[in-house]
Every structure is written in C-alpha cells, then in structure tokens.
Amino acid sequence: MNPELPSIAAELLAEIIEAAPGRVRKRLDRDPAAAANWQWENANGGWTISAGDETVQLHVGDRQTVLNSEMVSCSCLLSPRCFHLLAVLTSLTLAGEAEPKTDLKTEPDAPNRPESDGDDIEITDAIRVAAQQSLQAIDSLLVSGARASGLIVQSTLLRAAHQSRAEGLVNLSASLIRMAEGIQRLRADDEHADCDQLCRDTTAAIEAAHGLIRADSVPKSQLGYTRRPFSPNALKRLTGVVAEPILTLSGYAGVVTHLIGDDGDIYQVVETRPGDVNLINQAYRGGIDLGETTASAQVISRSRIDVQNLTSSPDGRLGKGGKTRWAIQPVQEGHAADLSALHCHWTKDIREQISRVFDATTSPEQPLPRDRNLVCVQGTIVAANGAGVLFQPVDCNTTLTLGIAMDNAAVMYRQNLQMLARCPGLSIEIFARLRLNQAGWMDALSFRALSEEVTFPDHWLGRCHLGLDALHRHHFQNTQRYVEDIEHQQHQQQPSPDEQNSLIRNPVETRRSKSDLFPGLERRCAAMVIGGRSSVGSISSPTHRRDHARLVARGQRTAAGLLNHLAMACAESPAVTRRGNLNHASEKHRRPLILAVIDRYCREFRSHYERDQWLRWLDP
C-alpha cells in the first residue's frame, strides 16, 4: 500500500465490492494489483487515475478519505460497477485502520471522564450477533486461505468490521480491518505484506469475538476506545530522554518522544499525521504544538520542561490541549550524563533491570505499559553481529546484541549501527528496548559516548537518537574498516583458548530461540491462515503422522493432541449442517477456535521458554 494514497471507509468498500458484477470481481481477483500500473495524479484536493482509455476520479477533499459513492466516478459506461473503479478503490488504505495505536489526537481542554477500566459493559444480543458474524467471516478466510481470498471474503470481513464498530467493539473491528488489508497486500505481492502479522491479527480477532460470545459483561478496555481516555495529571516537570520514529503501514508517520516525569514514571509525547516518511523529519525537526508553545521533538527530547494542567492516558501518553502549559528550559551542559540517574532502575545493574522488566509482565508477547521495558546500559562496542552490534555491558561476563528497532531505509537505525560496529572498544551509554522474545537482544534507541573520542554537533547536546540523527565518519576519532571486513575477520580467524574464555564470546547465540518448538504445529496454523484448510494435511497423511510422533517422543502430548484437532477441524466442510438444519456455533466455528487455542498454547509455552533463556543469560 502506498502511504500517500487516500483512504476509504471500510463499509463503503464492502458495499462497492458486493454491488460489482461477478465477472468484474473475478477479473480483479485474477489481477489484484491492476491499479498499481496505472497513472495516479493528485491535484486540487482530488485524484485522477488514468486506466488506459478510461479515467477514474476521486474527490477526497482535505480529509483524504473516500466516504461515499458520490466522491468516486469513472468515465466508462459501467460506472460505478466497473472494473476500473473497483481496482482503484481496493488499492486504497482502509480508513478504519488509519489511526494507529501510537497516534494521538488533540485532546479537549477539559477532558471528558470516560468509563474506567473497572466499569463493566453488559454484552447484549446485538454484540453477540456481531461477534458471531466476525467468527463466521474469519472461518471463510480459513476455508480459502488469504492467498485465495478474493473480494467476497474481503467484503465479508469488512462487513463484520463495520458491524462490530457499530456495536462499540473497537478492538475487534480494528483486527478485522487489519486482516482485510493484510490479505490485500499479500494478494498484490506488496513489499509490505506480513504473513506473521496477518496470523497474529487473525488469532487476536478470534479471541476477542469468542470472549464476547461467552461473557455476560466485560471491562470497557476489553472492547477498546474510539478515543484514548485522558485524565488530569499533577506533573510539574518533565525531562526528555529518547526520540524515535513512527511509520505505520496504514499511512501514518511521525515521532514519539519519551520523557521522565518528576514522579519517576515514563511518559510520551506523540506527533503523527497521515502521510509519508517525510513527516518523520518534519515532526523531529519541525514544530509540535504543546498548548500555546511549539517545539520540535529534537528539542523536547533534549530539554527539561516545566508543565502545568497536564492530562495523561493510562498508558502514559500526554495530552497537548490548549490549556496545558509547557515551559521549555535551555538544557545545561551535563544533561546527557544525568539522564541515567532520573529513573531509579536505570542506575542498577543490567541483570536487575532485566529482572525488573520480566517481573512487570506475565507474558513477553504482551507490550509493557509506559514503555517500562526501556533499559539504560553502559558498556563497550565489540564488533558487528550480522545487522546488529555486539555490545559488552559493564561488570558482565557475557555480551548482548544491539538490534535494529525499525529496519526501513527512511530511518537511520541500520546506517548508524553499521557506523558503531566500526568503532570496537568505544565506551557508550545506551538506551535500548528489550526484545522479550529473543534472549540477548535489545533494540538500540539512543546513546552517548563515555569518552572524548566522539564529537557530536552542538545541538545534539552529547546524545544521538539512532533512528533520527545521522552518524558520520568525522564524528569519531578512530574507526575500523567497513563492517563487512570486521565480520569476515571474526568468522575467519580461529580464536585462541584464552579468547574463547574472554568477554568477546557470546553464549546467548548458542541459546537462541528454537525455530520450531512444536514440530509441525505452528507451521500448520500459519498454513491454514495463508493457504486455507486444504493446505493442512489429513490426520492419516504421512507428514501428520510423522509430526505427531515427534511431538509424542518429545513428551509434548498436549501439542500432539492439538495437532490432531487441527487436522480434524480442517477436514470438515465449510458449512456444517446438523439435524433440523441448525448450525451449532461451537461446531461451526471449530476452525477459528482451534486456531486460537493452539496460538495461546504456543505463546504461553514460548513465553516461559524465552524467559528461561534470558535468565540463563543473566547467570551464564
């Protein structure tokens, strides 16, 4: 999907798909990316698409969203039920997913008091019907598979998403819309297609829908908020720590700035807008409206700020309403060196910091509130480790790897880490985010040098944000040859016995997460989402019996039983009828439910496994 293109309302796209003749839908199913080869031009608040001899017009206005059928037209005689119009509209971003989780709208000066997380919402019959419709739509996806899910399946998902949104099921609706967009990318061979994310969105939607069917009431937070709730906050001072880029597939870009409050907690100021990667630099070096003050993320992340009348959300996002007051103070010379002392946990040993992160969550798969998985570590650059950098923490007998937080050519993570890899022996203090599902790896976000070998520009104030600032050779007094040469030497040179016991070794690499903790089980679940039920072998097939025997031999009898249930669920016909022509929901939705059960089992198992790997890293 092109993030510069306008978006379209999900319910409108579903209506247009359903109204199109069957032969038109089949033609587009054979060539889902047809509109990508047409000429798109943006002028005067609208788009003109030249499709051969015909022309499609989109009148989107300032909102850049197609909301109704009157905003679209085609020059051919079959409009609006023509192939050209359908091809153009299915290539647009869905408006229902346009607001990313990291986005923050301008808050009202006097925030409304939304229902708290403790206020339960009664599950009505209409909500259960919407959840049932969602499970049925997901089952249709699992029958055909994402690769073969044409416009009819996509329309079914969009209809279910619209119905869920109408009943206030925000989280479920968002998952369904992400599924529809994921299918579109996959079928169009888009470079941003992500099969793993599609599988995660599918299981998340199944769990959300099934939970609504079974419950009598749920907390408001489980349904989701159309607008993040904010409440007054008594903060008086904030200190900028880290700025990092945001770039979403739904067409939003910007910057999030992490700050420490005088209460010792972590907060964020988020600036995102619909557009392309250029908005990242605009938000970082341009202006962010903070009440009656305007400042860039580059300045905010390196400043101490006196504040009044602030509001904040439960996950630490700060409001920027007109009544808030922000007084940005000039940063003193020692600001970069003082950051690690702002948070009581950042002054502790790396082992204690990692243990605290795991104590704060029960599952490494779940994100932590307020970004409490940020750690601050001092140590030394060792060498390159693939695309990452091998890093030796102070007072630690093993090394870890600094990885790329966002691997996109529009941001600077990869280039900057390559530059750091050319500086073995350099002492730095790094702010990083733990990869809870990959022992020994952290995503590097920001660093400062602990020696005089590095000279940064004055306005960096001694700290480099790795995703936004560009490191150059002249910033360092001593650098080695290219990263490829360093890696080659490390792989070719045989270490001596003393070197094998030195700090350069990385025992974590030998304890990497096993790629297949459950032989055949996770692979078959992904196959069902991508290729449909026919891609999962029958219970009597040689491959199934082999994988089942391997699981039993490893003592994973629960996984072996789940493998059997999956095969039997996939063997059922798409529409299971029972006596009296009645469909029992528990049996009709067997495929989605068994997929969700297997996903939960595998995630919990892997969660304990990864935690054990990190604990072994702490005490090698």
Side-chain angles (χ1 to χ4, degrees), residues 384-453:
N385 183 20
V389 176
L390 208 59
F391 179 74
Q392 175 65 61
V394 173
D395 299 329
C396 192
N397 294 329
T398 187
T399 57
L400 56 83
T401 301
L402 303 177
I404 299 173
M406 180 192 297
D407 197 2
N408 189 293
V411 296
M412 304 304 299
Y413 285 116
R414 178 177 285 273
Q415 299 93 308
N416 286 339
L417 285 179
Q418 287 177 345
M419 181 61 67
L420 283 179
R422 296 173 57 190
C423 304
L426 178 66
S427 296
I428 64 173
E429 179 185 79
I430 190 97
F431 277 95
R433 182 179 291 111
L434 291 183
R435 290 188 186 179
L436 300 181
N437 61 350
Q438 190 174 8
W441 282 72
M442 300 181 181
D443 290 329
L445 302 178
S446 178
F447 84 98
R448 72 178 178 97
L450 300 178
S451 66
E452 297 181 356
E453 298 178 9

Side-chain angles (χ1 to χ4, degrees), residues 463-512:
R463 182 166 294 276
C464 171
H465 300 317
L466 290 167
L468 299 162
D469 300 321
L471 291 174
H472 297 287
R473 169 66 184 83
H474 64 266
H475 292 153
F476 303 88
Q477 292 183 9
N478 299 298
T479 58
Q480 298 291 341
R481 287 181 294 172
Y482 292 108
V483 177
E484 291 78 9
D485 291 341
I486 297 173
E487 292 179 324
H488 179 76
Q489 291 175 3
Q490 275 202 285
H491 284 89
Q492 295 296 324
Q493 182 178 356
Q494 295 296 325
S496 66
D498 292 337
E499 290 175 336
Q500 291 178 2
N501 296 324
S502 69
L503 298 180
I504 298 180
R505 64 182 178 89
N506 186 10
V508 175
E509 287 299 298
T510 65
R511 304 194 198 113
R512 271 259 185 98

Side-chain angles (χ1 to χ4, degrees), residues 226-247:
T226 55
R227 183 189 182 93
R228 181 178 282 110
F230 284 80
S231 58
N233 192 301
L235 287 172
K236 298 300 181 183
R237 169 165 288 193
L238 296 164
T239 303
V241 177
V242 176
E244 58 178 317
I246 297 173
L247 185 62

Side-chain angles (χ1 to χ4, degrees), residues 287-448:
I288 300 176
D289 292 332
L290 304 172
E292 297 180 351
T293 303
T294 300
S296 66
Q298 186 178 47
V299 172
I300 297 171
S301 62
R302 295 176 170 93
S303 299
R304 289 188 175 92
I305 309 169
D306 291 328
V307 293
Q308 290 181 347
N309 305 328
L310 279 192
T311 59
S312 63
S313 65
D315 59 353
R317 303 296 171 85
L318 293 175
K320 300 176 289 185
K323 288 188 176 180
T324 61
R325 295 293 180 265
W326 305 70
I328 301 176
Q329 301 177 359
V331 175
Q332 299 178 359
E333 184 176 351
H335 173 71
D338 295 339
L339 290 182
S340 59
L342 291 175
H343 200 292
C344 61
H345 295 292
W346 290 343
T347 58
K348 296 181 180 179
D349 179 82
I350 179 60
R351 295 179 180 84
E352 295 184 49
Q353 294 190 54
I354 295 174
S355 297
R356 177 191 62 84
V357 171
F358 274 101
D359 290 341
T361 181
T362 57
S363 172
E365 295 288 339
Q366 300 298 326
L368 295 177
R370 297 178 182 269
D371 241 345
R372 288 181 180 140
N373 55 347
L374 284 177
V375 296
C376 180
V377 189
Q378 292 187 358
T380 304
I381 298 296
V382 177
N385 183 20
V389 176
L390 208 59
F391 179 74
Q392 175 65 61
V394 173
D395 299 329
C396 192
N397 294 329
T398 187
T399 57
L400 56 83
T401 301
L402 303 177
I404 299 173
M406 180 192 297
D407 197 2
N408 189 293
V411 296
M412 304 304 299
Y413 285 116
R414 178 177 285 273
Q415 299 93 308
N416 286 339
L417 285 179
Q418 287 177 345
M419 181 61 67
L420 283 179
R422 296 173 57 190
C423 304
L426 178 66
S427 296
I428 64 173
E429 179 185 79
I430 190 97
F431 277 95
R433 182 179 291 111
L434 291 183
R435 290 188 186 179
L436 300 181
N437 61 350
Q438 190 174 8
W441 282 72
M442 300 181 181
D443 290 329
L445 302 178
S446 178
F447 84 98
R448 72 178 178 97

Side-chain angles (χ1 to χ4, degrees), residues 69-113:
S69 57
E70 297 178 355
M71 302 175 70
V72 298
S73 62
C74 180
S75 60
C76 74
L77 298 178
L78 296 178
S79 177
R81 304 173 65 189
C82 64
F83 169 79
H84 313 100
L85 197 60
L86 190 61
V88 167
L89 296 183
T90 54
S91 65
L92 303 181
T93 300
L94 294 175
E97 175 59 11
E99 182 179 346
K101 292 182 180 179
T102 53
D103 187 30
L104 184 65
K105 300 296 183 183
T106 302
E107 297 76 26
D109 294 335
N112 297 326
R113 295 187 177 273

Side-chain angles (χ1 to χ4, degrees), residues 178-341:
R178 288 196 299 269
M179 289 170 59
E181 277 203 322
I183 293 171
Q184 291 177 6
R185 294 189 187 102
L186 188 64
R187 288 176 51 79
D189 293 326
D190 191 286
E191 62 179 349
H192 298 303
D194 190 338
C195 293
D196 291 338
Q197 183 62 48
L198 178 57
C199 293
R200 289 193 294 268
D201 290 334
T202 302
T203 53
I206 295 170
E207 289 187 1
H210 183 59
L212 294 171
I213 293 174
R214 297 185 59 186
D216 294 326
S217 62
V218 297
K220 172 63 176 176
S221 58
Q222 185 174 328
L223 301 182
Y225 296 100
T226 55
R227 183 189 182 93
R228 181 178 282 110
F230 284 80
S231 58
N233 192 301
L235 287 172
K236 298 300 181 183
R237 169 165 288 193
L238 296 164
T239 303
V241 177
V242 176
E244 58 178 317
I246 297 173
L247 185 62
T248 71
L249 291 178
S250 57
Y252 273 68
V255 171
V256 55
T257 305
H258 303 275
L259 308 100
I260 292 291
D262 51 17
D263 59 356
D265 222 333
I266 303 175
Y267 296 88
Q268 294 85 35
V269 170
V270 181
E271 178 70 11
T272 56
R273 288 180 293 164
D276 59 12
V277 296
N278 294 325
L279 291 179
I280 294 177
N281 283 329
Q282 291 180 20
Y284 182 57
R285 295 179 173 84
I288 300 176
D289 292 332
L290 304 172
E292 297 180 351
T293 303
T294 300
S296 66
Q298 186 178 47
V299 172
I300 297 171
S301 62
R302 295 176 170 93
S303 299
R304 289 188 175 92
I305 309 169
D306 291 328
V307 293
Q308 290 181 347
N309 305 328
L310 279 192
T311 59
S312 63
S313 65
D315 59 353
R317 303 296 171 85
L318 293 175
K320 300 176 289 185
K323 288 188 176 180
T324 61
R325 295 293 180 265
W326 305 70
I328 301 176
Q329 301 177 359
V331 175
Q332 299 178 359
E333 184 176 351
H335 173 71
D338 295 339
L339 290 182
S340 59

